Amino acid sequence: MQSEPASDGRSGHGSSSSAPAAPAGGSAGPEPASPRQGITPRFASMMKVKRSGFPARTLLSILRGMRNSSETFPWQTRKAGCHKDCTAGGCMGETAKKMAESFKASDLIITPATTFKEKPDPSGLVFGTVFTDNMLTIEWSVASGWEKPYIKPFGNLSLHPASSALHYSLELFEGMKAYRGVDGKIRLFRPTLNMERMVRSARRATLPCFDQNELLQCIRKLVEVEKEWVPYSTDASLYIRPTLIGTEPSLGVKKPTKALLYVILSPVGPYFASGSFNPISLWADPKYVRAWKGGTGDCKMGGNYGASIYAQQEAVELGCQQVLWLYGEDHQITEVGTMNLFLYWINENGENELATPPLDGIILPGVTRQSILDLARNWKEFKVSERYITMSDLTAALEKNRVKEMFGAGTACIVCPISQILYKGKHLHIPTMENGPQLATRFLNKLSDIQYGREDSDWAVLVS
Protein backbone atom coordinates (compact mmCIF):
# COMPACT_ATOMS: atom_id res chain seq x y z
CA MET A 1 0.00 0.00 0.00
CA GLN A 2 1.38 3.41 -0.89
CA SER A 3 0.70 6.95 0.28
CA GLU A 4 1.75 10.14 -1.41
CA PRO A 5 0.97 13.87 -1.31
CA ALA A 6 -2.43 14.93 -2.61
CA SER A 7 -0.93 16.59 -5.69
CA ASP A 8 0.09 13.52 -7.64
CA GLY A 9 0.48 15.27 -10.97
CA ARG A 10 -2.05 13.10 -12.75
CA SER A 11 -4.03 14.81 -15.47
CA GLY A 12 -7.49 13.40 -14.80
CA HIS A 13 -9.65 10.47 -15.75
CA GLY A 14 -8.88 8.83 -19.04
CA SER A 15 -6.12 11.29 -20.01
CA SER A 16 -2.80 10.23 -21.48
CA SER A 17 0.04 12.27 -22.91
CA SER A 18 1.94 9.40 -24.51
CA ALA A 19 1.14 7.49 -27.67
CA PRO A 20 -0.35 4.06 -27.05
CA ALA A 21 2.10 1.20 -27.30
CA ALA A 22 1.65 -2.00 -29.26
CA PRO A 23 1.08 -5.08 -27.11
CA ALA A 24 4.13 -7.21 -26.54
CA GLY A 25 4.31 -10.65 -28.13
CA GLY A 26 6.50 -13.73 -27.90
CA SER A 27 8.56 -15.58 -30.43
CA ALA A 28 6.46 -17.81 -32.61
CA GLY A 29 9.19 -19.78 -34.45
CA PRO A 30 9.09 -20.60 -38.15
CA GLU A 31 5.99 -19.53 -40.03
CA PRO A 32 3.78 -22.53 -40.90
CA ALA A 33 2.39 -23.11 -44.36
CA SER A 34 -1.00 -21.52 -44.92
CA PRO A 35 -3.92 -23.96 -45.14
CA ARG A 36 -5.71 -21.54 -47.46
CA GLN A 37 -4.16 -20.86 -50.86
CA GLY A 38 -3.07 -17.27 -51.34
CA ILE A 39 -3.64 -16.16 -47.74
CA THR A 40 -0.63 -16.30 -45.47
CA PRO A 41 -0.91 -16.40 -41.69
CA ARG A 42 0.83 -13.01 -41.58
CA PHE A 43 -1.80 -11.51 -43.91
CA ALA A 44 -4.56 -13.00 -41.78
CA SER A 45 -2.94 -11.48 -38.70
CA MET A 46 -2.75 -8.11 -40.44
CA MET A 47 -6.47 -8.23 -41.09
CA LYS A 48 -7.12 -9.02 -37.44
CA VAL A 49 -4.92 -6.10 -36.42
CA LYS A 50 -7.01 -3.79 -38.62
CA ARG A 51 -10.15 -4.92 -36.81
CA SER A 52 -8.59 -4.80 -33.37
CA GLY A 53 -9.53 -1.22 -32.48
CA PHE A 54 -5.94 -0.03 -31.90
CA PRO A 55 -5.03 3.58 -32.83
CA ALA A 56 -3.76 4.09 -36.39
CA ARG A 57 -0.14 4.86 -35.54
CA THR A 58 0.02 1.83 -33.24
CA LEU A 59 -1.26 -0.34 -36.12
CA LEU A 60 1.40 1.02 -38.45
CA SER A 61 4.09 0.20 -35.94
CA ILE A 62 2.77 -3.32 -35.46
CA LEU A 63 2.39 -4.00 -39.16
CA ARG A 64 5.89 -2.72 -40.01
CA GLY A 65 7.32 -5.03 -37.38
CA MET A 66 5.37 -7.98 -38.77
CA ARG A 67 7.03 -7.70 -42.18
CA ASN A 68 10.37 -9.03 -40.91
CA SER A 69 9.32 -10.80 -37.78
CA SER A 70 7.71 -14.06 -36.79
CA GLU A 71 6.14 -12.61 -33.62
CA THR A 72 2.86 -13.95 -32.31
CA PHE A 73 0.40 -11.28 -31.20
CA PRO A 74 -2.27 -11.57 -28.51
CA TRP A 75 -5.21 -11.81 -30.91
CA GLN A 76 -3.54 -14.69 -32.79
CA THR A 77 -4.19 -17.06 -29.89
CA ARG A 78 -7.43 -17.70 -28.05
CA LYS A 79 -8.12 -19.38 -24.77
CA ALA A 80 -10.17 -22.57 -24.93
CA GLY A 81 -13.84 -21.75 -25.03
CA CYS A 82 -13.33 -18.25 -26.43
CA HIS A 83 -15.31 -17.50 -29.54
CA LYS A 84 -14.44 -13.83 -29.98
CA ASP A 85 -11.45 -11.55 -30.49
CA CYS A 86 -11.86 -9.10 -27.64
CA THR A 87 -9.76 -5.97 -27.37
CA ALA A 88 -11.60 -4.13 -24.64
CA GLY A 89 -13.12 -6.77 -22.42
CA GLY A 90 -13.82 -10.44 -22.14
CA CYS A 91 -10.89 -12.54 -23.36
CA MET A 92 -7.92 -11.93 -25.62
CA GLY A 93 -5.76 -14.94 -24.80
CA GLU A 94 -3.25 -14.92 -21.94
CA THR A 95 -2.40 -11.26 -22.60
CA ALA A 96 -5.95 -10.21 -21.73
CA LYS A 97 -5.77 -12.20 -18.52
CA LYS A 98 -2.51 -10.50 -17.63
CA MET A 99 -3.86 -7.09 -18.53
CA ALA A 100 -7.12 -7.63 -16.67
CA GLU A 101 -5.26 -8.57 -13.51
CA SER A 102 -2.74 -5.78 -13.78
CA PHE A 103 -4.17 -3.56 -11.06
CA LYS A 104 -3.24 -4.77 -7.62
CA ALA A 105 -4.49 -3.79 -4.18
CA SER A 106 -0.84 -3.74 -3.08
CA ASP A 107 -0.29 -0.84 -5.53
CA LEU A 108 -3.10 1.20 -4.00
CA ILE A 109 -2.17 4.85 -3.58
CA ILE A 110 -4.04 6.69 -0.82
CA THR A 111 -4.36 10.47 -0.82
CA PRO A 112 -7.24 10.92 1.61
CA ALA A 113 -9.43 13.96 2.04
CA THR A 114 -8.19 16.61 4.47
CA THR A 115 -11.58 18.25 4.98
CA PHE A 116 -14.46 16.19 6.32
CA LYS A 117 -18.23 16.34 6.03
CA GLU A 118 -20.53 16.11 8.98
CA LYS A 119 -21.86 12.58 9.39
CA PRO A 120 -25.66 12.32 9.34
CA ASP A 121 -27.97 10.93 12.00
CA PRO A 122 -28.60 7.26 11.05
CA SER A 123 -32.28 7.58 11.92
CA GLY A 124 -32.86 10.27 9.29
CA LEU A 125 -31.01 8.84 6.29
CA VAL A 126 -32.59 9.04 2.84
CA PHE A 127 -31.31 6.30 0.55
CA GLY A 128 -28.37 7.32 -1.66
CA THR A 129 -28.30 11.06 -1.01
CA VAL A 130 -25.26 11.45 1.28
CA PHE A 131 -21.74 10.39 0.28
CA THR A 132 -18.52 9.83 2.19
CA ASP A 133 -15.32 11.86 2.04
CA ASN A 134 -13.33 9.56 -0.26
CA MET A 135 -13.72 7.38 -3.34
CA LEU A 136 -11.76 4.72 -5.23
CA THR A 137 -10.80 5.20 -8.90
CA ILE A 138 -8.95 2.95 -11.37
CA GLU A 139 -8.40 3.93 -15.00
CA TRP A 140 -8.03 1.55 -17.94
CA SER A 141 -7.02 1.93 -21.57
CA VAL A 142 -6.38 -0.54 -24.37
CA ALA A 143 -2.90 0.95 -24.73
CA SER A 144 -1.79 0.67 -21.11
CA GLY A 145 -4.17 -1.72 -19.42
CA TRP A 146 -5.15 -1.00 -15.83
CA GLU A 147 -3.47 1.87 -14.00
CA LYS A 148 -2.80 1.90 -10.27
CA PRO A 149 -5.84 2.18 -7.98
CA TYR A 150 -6.30 5.44 -6.10
CA ILE A 151 -8.25 6.34 -2.98
CA LYS A 152 -8.73 10.08 -3.10
CA PRO A 153 -11.18 12.78 -2.01
CA PHE A 154 -14.73 12.34 -3.28
CA GLY A 155 -15.34 14.63 -6.23
CA ASN A 156 -16.88 15.10 -9.64
CA LEU A 157 -15.64 13.13 -12.64
CA SER A 158 -14.15 14.81 -15.70
CA LEU A 159 -15.48 13.12 -18.84
CA HIS A 160 -15.16 13.82 -22.55
CA PRO A 161 -18.56 14.91 -23.93
CA ALA A 162 -18.47 11.99 -26.37
CA SER A 163 -17.79 9.38 -23.68
CA SER A 164 -19.45 6.10 -24.64
CA ALA A 165 -21.13 5.71 -21.25
CA LEU A 166 -23.06 8.94 -21.86
CA HIS A 167 -24.21 8.08 -25.38
CA TYR A 168 -24.55 4.30 -25.53
CA SER A 169 -24.98 3.32 -21.89
CA LEU A 170 -21.71 1.39 -21.82
CA GLU A 171 -21.70 1.12 -18.06
CA LEU A 172 -22.58 -1.20 -15.21
CA PHE A 173 -22.60 -1.16 -11.44
CA GLU A 174 -22.95 -3.24 -8.30
CA GLY A 175 -24.72 -2.77 -5.00
CA MET A 176 -23.36 -4.10 -1.71
CA LYS A 177 -23.19 -3.00 1.91
CA ALA A 178 -20.88 -2.73 4.90
CA TYR A 179 -22.52 -3.36 8.30
CA ARG A 180 -21.34 -2.34 11.75
CA GLY A 181 -21.99 -5.34 13.96
CA VAL A 182 -23.21 -5.46 17.54
CA ASP A 183 -19.57 -6.23 18.42
CA GLY A 184 -18.36 -3.04 16.71
CA LYS A 185 -16.74 -4.93 13.83
CA ILE A 186 -17.46 -4.04 10.20
CA ARG A 187 -18.56 -6.77 7.82
CA LEU A 188 -19.37 -7.26 4.13
CA PHE A 189 -22.02 -9.79 3.10
CA ARG A 190 -21.02 -12.38 0.48
CA PRO A 191 -19.02 -9.80 -1.52
CA THR A 192 -17.47 -12.37 -3.86
CA LEU A 193 -20.91 -12.90 -5.42
CA ASN A 194 -21.03 -9.19 -6.26
CA MET A 195 -17.57 -9.31 -7.78
CA GLU A 196 -18.47 -12.35 -9.92
CA ARG A 197 -21.64 -10.67 -11.16
CA MET A 198 -19.77 -7.47 -11.94
CA VAL A 199 -17.29 -9.35 -14.13
CA ARG A 200 -20.17 -11.07 -15.97
CA SER A 201 -21.77 -7.69 -16.60
CA ALA A 202 -18.44 -6.30 -17.82
CA ARG A 203 -18.10 -9.07 -20.39
CA ARG A 204 -21.62 -8.43 -21.66
CA ALA A 205 -20.89 -4.70 -21.96
CA THR A 206 -17.49 -5.27 -23.67
CA LEU A 207 -15.86 -3.41 -20.80
CA PRO A 208 -12.51 -4.59 -19.38
CA CYS A 209 -12.45 -7.46 -16.93
CA PHE A 210 -10.38 -7.42 -13.75
CA ASP A 211 -9.17 -9.61 -10.94
CA GLN A 212 -12.19 -9.90 -8.65
CA ASN A 213 -10.18 -10.41 -5.47
CA GLU A 214 -7.96 -7.41 -6.17
CA LEU A 215 -10.99 -5.14 -6.53
CA LEU A 216 -12.52 -6.60 -3.38
CA GLN A 217 -9.33 -5.85 -1.43
CA CYS A 218 -9.38 -2.27 -2.75
CA ILE A 219 -13.01 -1.93 -1.63
CA ARG A 220 -12.19 -3.32 1.81
CA LYS A 221 -9.42 -0.73 2.14
CA LEU A 222 -11.78 2.08 1.08
CA VAL A 223 -14.32 0.99 3.69
CA GLU A 224 -11.54 0.81 6.27
CA VAL A 225 -10.51 4.38 5.41
CA GLU A 226 -14.16 5.45 5.74
CA LYS A 227 -15.00 3.24 8.73
CA GLU A 228 -16.48 6.10 10.75
CA TRP A 229 -19.08 6.48 8.00
CA VAL A 230 -20.45 3.00 8.69
CA PRO A 231 -23.51 3.85 10.85
CA TYR A 232 -23.47 2.88 14.51
CA SER A 233 -26.89 1.33 14.08
CA THR A 234 -28.43 -2.06 13.25
CA ASP A 235 -31.10 -0.24 11.21
CA ALA A 236 -28.61 1.36 8.82
CA SER A 237 -25.52 0.47 6.80
CA LEU A 238 -22.92 1.84 4.40
CA TYR A 239 -24.00 1.25 0.79
CA ILE A 240 -21.14 0.46 -1.61
CA ARG A 241 -21.55 1.31 -5.30
CA PRO A 242 -18.78 -0.06 -7.56
CA THR A 243 -19.24 1.35 -11.07
CA LEU A 244 -17.53 0.69 -14.41
CA ILE A 245 -18.07 3.06 -17.33
CA GLY A 246 -16.76 3.32 -20.87
CA THR A 247 -14.93 6.60 -21.43
CA GLU A 248 -14.17 6.11 -25.14
CA PRO A 249 -13.93 9.72 -26.44
CA SER A 250 -15.69 9.18 -29.75
CA LEU A 251 -19.19 8.73 -31.16
CA GLY A 252 -18.46 5.40 -32.81
CA VAL A 253 -20.65 2.53 -31.63
CA LYS A 254 -17.87 0.12 -30.68
CA LYS A 255 -16.00 -1.50 -27.85
CA PRO A 256 -14.41 1.25 -25.75
CA THR A 257 -10.66 1.76 -25.68
CA LYS A 258 -10.86 3.59 -22.35
CA ALA A 259 -12.77 2.92 -19.16
CA LEU A 260 -13.01 4.04 -15.56
CA LEU A 261 -13.81 1.89 -12.56
CA TYR A 262 -14.78 3.79 -9.44
CA VAL A 263 -16.40 3.08 -6.09
CA ILE A 264 -18.44 5.50 -3.98
CA LEU A 265 -19.98 4.99 -0.55
CA SER A 266 -23.24 6.23 0.95
CA PRO A 267 -24.67 5.68 4.46
CA VAL A 268 -28.25 4.46 4.08
CA GLY A 269 -31.34 3.58 6.06
CA PRO A 270 -34.47 1.81 4.76
CA TYR A 271 -34.81 1.78 0.96
CA PHE A 272 -38.55 2.48 1.01
CA ALA A 273 -39.94 5.59 2.65
CA SER A 274 -42.63 3.44 4.27
CA GLY A 275 -40.00 1.75 6.43
CA SER A 276 -37.79 -1.31 6.49
CA PHE A 277 -40.48 -3.99 6.81
CA ASN A 278 -43.76 -2.39 5.86
CA PRO A 279 -45.69 -4.08 3.03
CA ILE A 280 -45.78 -2.54 -0.43
CA SER A 281 -48.30 -2.59 -3.29
CA LEU A 282 -47.47 -3.50 -6.89
CA TRP A 283 -48.78 -2.60 -10.32
CA ALA A 284 -48.69 -5.39 -12.90
CA ASP A 285 -49.31 -4.48 -16.55
CA PRO A 286 -47.85 -6.38 -19.54
CA LYS A 287 -47.55 -3.25 -21.68
CA TYR A 288 -44.14 -2.56 -20.15
CA VAL A 289 -41.34 -5.15 -20.20
CA ARG A 290 -38.20 -4.92 -18.07
CA ALA A 291 -36.12 -7.49 -19.94
CA TRP A 292 -36.32 -10.12 -22.67
CA LYS A 293 -34.52 -13.27 -23.81
CA GLY A 294 -31.15 -12.47 -25.31
CA GLY A 295 -31.06 -9.05 -23.64
CA THR A 296 -29.21 -7.78 -20.58
CA GLY A 297 -31.79 -8.47 -17.86
CA ASP A 298 -29.37 -10.75 -16.03
CA CYS A 299 -26.70 -8.02 -15.87
CA LYS A 300 -26.61 -5.06 -13.51
CA MET A 301 -26.54 -2.30 -16.11
CA GLY A 302 -27.93 1.19 -15.78
CA GLY A 303 -29.99 0.89 -18.95
CA ASN A 304 -32.15 -1.76 -17.28
CA TYR A 305 -33.03 0.70 -14.53
CA GLY A 306 -33.30 3.93 -16.48
CA ALA A 307 -35.80 2.39 -18.89
CA SER A 308 -37.97 1.29 -15.94
CA ILE A 309 -38.54 4.74 -14.46
CA TYR A 310 -41.41 5.62 -16.80
CA ALA A 311 -43.39 2.55 -15.73
CA GLN A 312 -42.49 3.17 -12.10
CA GLN A 313 -43.91 6.68 -12.34
CA GLU A 314 -47.16 5.32 -13.77
CA ALA A 315 -47.35 2.82 -10.92
CA VAL A 316 -47.05 5.63 -8.39
CA GLU A 317 -49.77 7.62 -10.16
CA LEU A 318 -52.05 4.58 -9.79
CA GLY A 319 -51.37 4.42 -6.07
CA CYS A 320 -48.79 1.60 -6.12
CA GLN A 321 -45.22 1.70 -4.87
CA GLN A 322 -43.47 -0.65 -7.31
CA VAL A 323 -43.89 -2.40 -10.66
CA LEU A 324 -44.42 -6.14 -10.87
CA TRP A 325 -42.69 -6.93 -14.16
CA LEU A 326 -44.46 -9.43 -16.42
CA TYR A 327 -43.09 -11.28 -19.44
CA GLY A 328 -44.62 -13.17 -22.35
CA GLU A 329 -48.14 -13.82 -23.54
CA ASP A 330 -48.87 -15.83 -20.41
CA HIS A 331 -47.82 -12.92 -18.14
CA GLN A 332 -44.99 -14.64 -16.31
CA ILE A 333 -44.03 -12.98 -13.03
CA THR A 334 -40.36 -11.94 -13.15
CA GLU A 335 -39.14 -9.21 -10.78
CA VAL A 336 -40.51 -6.56 -8.42
CA GLY A 337 -39.10 -3.11 -9.14
CA THR A 338 -35.42 -3.50 -8.23
CA MET A 339 -35.96 -6.76 -6.33
CA ASN A 340 -36.19 -10.48 -6.95
CA LEU A 341 -39.56 -12.00 -6.11
CA PHE A 342 -40.54 -14.95 -3.89
CA LEU A 343 -43.90 -16.67 -3.48
CA TYR A 344 -44.61 -18.96 -0.53
CA TRP A 345 -47.74 -20.98 -1.26
CA ILE A 346 -49.40 -24.36 -1.46
CA ASN A 347 -48.65 -25.33 -5.04
CA GLU A 348 -50.81 -27.19 -7.54
CA ASN A 349 -49.78 -30.52 -6.01
CA GLY A 350 -50.71 -29.54 -2.48
CA GLU A 351 -47.08 -28.98 -1.36
CA ASN A 352 -45.77 -26.09 0.71
CA GLU A 353 -43.40 -24.42 -1.74
CA LEU A 354 -41.12 -21.41 -1.84
CA ALA A 355 -40.90 -20.43 -5.50
CA THR A 356 -38.94 -17.79 -7.40
CA PRO A 357 -38.53 -17.29 -11.18
CA PRO A 358 -35.56 -19.16 -12.72
CA LEU A 359 -32.38 -17.53 -13.99
CA ASP A 360 -33.25 -17.78 -17.67
CA GLY A 361 -31.52 -14.61 -18.86
CA ILE A 362 -34.17 -12.05 -17.88
CA ILE A 363 -33.76 -12.35 -14.10
CA LEU A 364 -30.94 -10.63 -12.19
CA PRO A 365 -29.05 -13.22 -10.11
CA GLY A 366 -29.39 -11.36 -6.82
CA VAL A 367 -27.10 -12.01 -3.87
CA THR A 368 -30.02 -11.88 -1.43
CA ARG A 369 -32.02 -14.14 -3.76
CA GLN A 370 -29.25 -16.74 -3.71
CA SER A 371 -28.91 -16.44 0.06
CA ILE A 372 -32.63 -17.04 0.61
CA LEU A 373 -32.53 -20.10 -1.64
CA ASP A 374 -29.44 -21.43 0.17
CA LEU A 375 -31.04 -20.95 3.58
CA ALA A 376 -34.34 -22.53 2.56
CA ARG A 377 -32.67 -25.55 0.99
CA ASN A 378 -30.54 -26.02 4.08
CA TRP A 379 -33.64 -25.94 6.32
CA LYS A 380 -35.30 -28.71 4.29
CA GLU A 381 -38.75 -27.81 5.68
CA PHE A 382 -40.61 -27.18 2.41
CA LYS A 383 -40.12 -27.51 -1.31
CA VAL A 384 -37.81 -24.90 -2.85
CA SER A 385 -38.20 -24.24 -6.58
CA GLU A 386 -36.87 -21.99 -9.28
CA ARG A 387 -39.86 -22.14 -11.61
CA TYR A 388 -42.12 -20.08 -13.83
CA ILE A 389 -45.20 -18.54 -12.20
CA THR A 390 -47.85 -16.75 -14.25
CA MET A 391 -50.47 -14.28 -13.14
CA SER A 392 -53.06 -16.98 -13.90
CA ASP A 393 -51.26 -19.30 -11.48
CA LEU A 394 -51.29 -16.60 -8.83
CA THR A 395 -54.93 -15.55 -9.25
CA ALA A 396 -56.08 -19.18 -9.19
CA ALA A 397 -54.10 -19.78 -6.00
CA LEU A 398 -55.56 -16.64 -4.40
CA GLU A 399 -59.10 -17.79 -5.19
CA LYS A 400 -58.41 -21.10 -3.44
CA ASN A 401 -56.58 -19.49 -0.47
CA ARG A 402 -53.32 -21.24 -1.37
CA VAL A 403 -51.11 -18.14 -1.15
CA LYS A 404 -49.32 -17.62 2.16
CA GLU A 405 -46.71 -14.92 1.56
CA MET A 406 -45.16 -12.92 -1.25
CA PHE A 407 -42.07 -10.77 -0.81
CA GLY A 408 -39.27 -9.04 -2.65
CA ALA A 409 -35.60 -9.47 -1.84
CA GLY A 410 -32.52 -7.40 -2.61
CA THR A 411 -29.44 -5.76 -1.12
CA ALA A 412 -31.14 -2.39 -0.71
CA CYS A 413 -34.24 -3.64 1.12
CA ILE A 414 -33.12 -7.17 2.22
CA VAL A 415 -36.68 -8.55 2.46
CA CYS A 416 -39.84 -6.59 1.69
CA PRO A 417 -43.40 -8.01 2.12
CA ILE A 418 -46.03 -7.52 -0.61
CA SER A 419 -49.67 -6.94 0.34
CA GLN A 420 -51.45 -5.98 -2.89
CA ILE A 421 -51.21 -6.23 -6.68
CA LEU A 422 -53.15 -4.06 -9.13
CA TYR A 423 -53.73 -6.26 -12.21
CA LYS A 424 -56.19 -5.68 -15.04
CA GLY A 425 -57.98 -3.02 -13.02
CA LYS A 426 -58.50 -5.27 -10.00
CA HIS A 427 -56.77 -5.10 -6.63
CA LEU A 428 -55.54 -8.55 -5.65
CA HIS A 429 -55.04 -8.87 -1.91
CA ILE A 430 -51.96 -10.87 -0.93
CA PRO A 431 -52.33 -12.23 2.65
CA THR A 432 -48.64 -11.81 3.49
CA MET A 433 -49.13 -9.82 6.69
CA GLU A 434 -52.04 -11.98 7.88
CA ASN A 435 -49.64 -14.94 7.84
CA GLY A 436 -47.09 -13.25 10.08
CA PRO A 437 -45.36 -12.93 7.73
CA GLN A 438 -43.61 -15.88 9.34
CA LEU A 439 -41.28 -16.89 6.53
CA ALA A 440 -40.34 -13.40 5.31
CA THR A 441 -39.61 -12.37 8.90
CA ARG A 442 -37.52 -15.47 9.45
CA PHE A 443 -35.39 -14.74 6.38
CA LEU A 444 -34.99 -11.10 7.37
CA ASN A 445 -33.91 -11.97 10.91
CA LYS A 446 -31.50 -14.68 9.76
CA LEU A 447 -29.81 -12.46 7.19
CA SER A 448 -29.68 -9.48 9.56
CA ASP A 449 -28.15 -11.63 12.32
CA ILE A 450 -25.34 -12.62 9.95
CA GLN A 451 -24.82 -9.11 8.59
CA TYR A 452 -24.71 -7.44 12.01
CA GLY A 453 -22.58 -10.10 13.67
CA ARG A 454 -25.18 -11.65 15.94
CA GLU A 455 -24.47 -14.98 14.23
CA ASP A 456 -21.16 -16.28 12.92
CA SER A 457 -21.17 -17.22 9.24
CA ASP A 458 -18.78 -17.73 6.36
CA TRP A 459 -20.97 -15.32 4.43
CA ALA A 460 -19.72 -12.40 6.55
CA VAL A 461 -16.32 -10.98 5.54
CA LEU A 462 -14.61 -8.83 8.15
CA VAL A 463 -13.22 -5.46 7.12
CA SER A 464 -12.03 -4.26 10.53
Side-chain angles (χ1 to χ4, degrees):
M1 215 72 69
Q2 305 176 43
S3 296
E4 66 175 28
S7 56
D8 55 24
R10 300 168 82 241
S11 58
H13 298 303
S15 60
S16 176
S17 58
S18 60
S27 176
E31 183 176 288
S34 172
R36 295 175 60 188
Q37 186 175 4
I39 300 179
T40 67
R42 181 167 288 121
F43 178 78
S45 295
M46 290 170 64
M47 297 307 296
K48 287 187 177 181
V49 170
K50 290 182 68 178
R51 295 193 298 267
S52 67
F54 280 87
R57 55 182 165 181
T58 300
L59 293 178
L60 288 173
S61 175
I62 295 172
L63 295 171
R64 288 192 191 104
M66 289 172 65
R67 273 185 300 189
N68 301 307
S69 168
S70 58
E71 284 185 318
T72 300
F73 295 94
W75 46 84
Q76 288 179 270
T77 19
R78 296 178 186 166
K79 294 179 72 175
C82 176
H83 302 289
K84 297 179 180 179
D85 294 304
C86 308
T87 59
C91 43
M92 192 173 64
E94 291 302 318
T95 299
K97 183 177 180 183
K98 182 179 179 181
M99 182 178 289
E101 295 177 350
S102 63
F103 78 80
K104 302 289 183 182
S106 58
D107 293 332
L108 186 61
I109 297 171
I110 303 175
T111 59
T114 55
T115 58
F116 307 101
K117 308 168 191 173
E118 183 179 354
K119 295 172 180 63
D121 182 348
S123 63
L125 289 170
V126 177
F127 190 90
T129 59
V130 177
F131 298 93
T132 66
D133 297 311
N134 295 282
M135 64 191 295
L136 170 71
T137 65
I138 316 171
E139 295 181 30
W140 177 90
S141 69
V142 74
S144 304
W146 287 104
E147 304 292 343
K148 290 183 178 181
Y150 277 73
I151 291 177
K152 60 184 184 181
F154 183 93
N156 295 335
L157 303 178
S158 177
L159 296 176
H160 191 284
S163 291
S164 49
L166 302 178
H167 294 266
Y168 308 121
S169 195
L170 279 175
E171 64 84 50
L172 56 100
F173 65 94
E174 267 303 323
M176 47 201 294
K177 287 180 177 180
Y179 306 84
R180 187 178 298 278
V182 293
D183 55 359
K185 296 179 180 178
I186 298 172
R187 295 171 173 84
L188 305 178
F189 181 74
R190 306 190 80 174
T192 55
L193 296 183
N194 294 96
M195 297 296 96
E196 290 168 4
R197 187 172 63 185
M198 190 171 183
V199 167
R200 289 197 301 269
S201 297
R203 290 195 185 101
R204 184 65 173 84
T206 69
L207 287 166
C209 294
F210 50 85
D211 186 296
Q212 301 167 31
N213 186 60
E214 295 298 334
L215 177 58
L216 179 55
Q217 297 312 311
C218 289
I219 290 173
R220 289 177 70 175
K221 187 60 182 179
L222 177 63
V223 173
E224 185 180 327
V225 168
E226 300 286 57
K227 61 185 178 181
E228 288 305 309
W229 279 92
V230 182
Y232 287 81
S233 168
T234 54
D235 293 319
S237 56
L238 185 66
Y239 188 78
I240 304 169
R241 174 54 66 89
T243 308
L244 179 57
I245 63 174
T247 55
E248 169 72 33
S250 74
L251 296 179
V253 182
K254 60 183 179 180
K255 291 183 286 188
T257 61
K258 292 185 178 182
L260 172 67
L261 193 163
Y262 64 93
V263 182
I264 54 178
L265 310 176
S266 174
V268 297
Y271 183 75
F272 296 110
S274 59
S276 59
F277 202 63
N278 292 324
I280 62 170
S281 59
L282 309 177
W283 175 56
D285 193 310
K287 69 178 179 179
Y288 298 121
V289 178
R290 174 193 169 271
W292 50 91
K293 299 290 179 66
T296 58
D298 59 346
C299 299
K300 206 166 180 65
M301 296 180 174
N304 295 339
Y305 295 80
S308 73
I309 294 173
Y310 187 85
Q312 169 65 24
Q313 183 60 37
E314 190 164 340
V316 171
E317 291 171 357
L318 292 169
C320 301
Q321 291 159 289
Q322 288 287 320
V323 177
L324 175 57
W325 298 102
L326 306 179
Y327 180 77
E329 295 298 321
D330 55 351
H331 298 178
Q332 295 170 21
I333 294 171
T334 61
E335 294 192 6
V336 180
T338 58
M339 301 179 285
N340 292 120
L341 179 134
F342 285 88
L343 174 65
Y344 184 48
W345 67 342
I346 300 172
N347 66 16
E348 302 90 339
N349 299 319
E351 304 166 298
N352 287 336
E353 179 183 48
L354 178 68
T356 191
L359 300 180
D360 61 354
I362 65 173
I363 302 295
L364 186 73
V367 175
T368 309
R369 175 190 183 274
Q370 187 60 52
S371 301
I372 287 174
L373 289 173
D374 291 343
L375 289 173
R377 286 169 176 151
N378 186 58
W379 292 340
K380 298 178 181 178
E381 297 175 13
F382 43 79
K383 185 175 183 179
V384 181
S385 302
E386 298 178 67
R387 53 163 288 184
Y388 294 106
I389 306 166
T390 66
M391 285 302 297
S392 294
D393 296 331
L394 179 61
T395 53
L398 286 170
E399 289 172 1
K400 296 178 181 179
N401 296 317
R402 292 192 286 110
V403 175
K404 296 184 176 184
E405 300 177 33
M406 181 179 277
F407 53 90
T411 298
C413 69
I414 308 179
V415 177
C416 180
I418 296 164
S419 60
Q420 185 174 271
I421 300 174
L422 176 58
Y423 176 63
K424 291 185 176 180
K426 295 182 179 180
H427 292 275
L428 305 178
H429 177 68
I430 312 297
T432 304
M433 303 310 288
E434 288 89 329
N435 287 303
Q438 294 183 6
L439 191 58
T441 301
R442 185 179 177 187
F443 283 127
L444 177 63
N445 290 342
K446 184 71 172 180
L447 294 172
S448 296
D449 285 348
I450 294 172
Q451 291 163 346
Y452 289 99
R454 290 184 287 260
E455 180 179 326
D456 290 334
S457 172
D458 293 338
W459 290 355
V461 176
L462 283 175
V463 173
S464 63

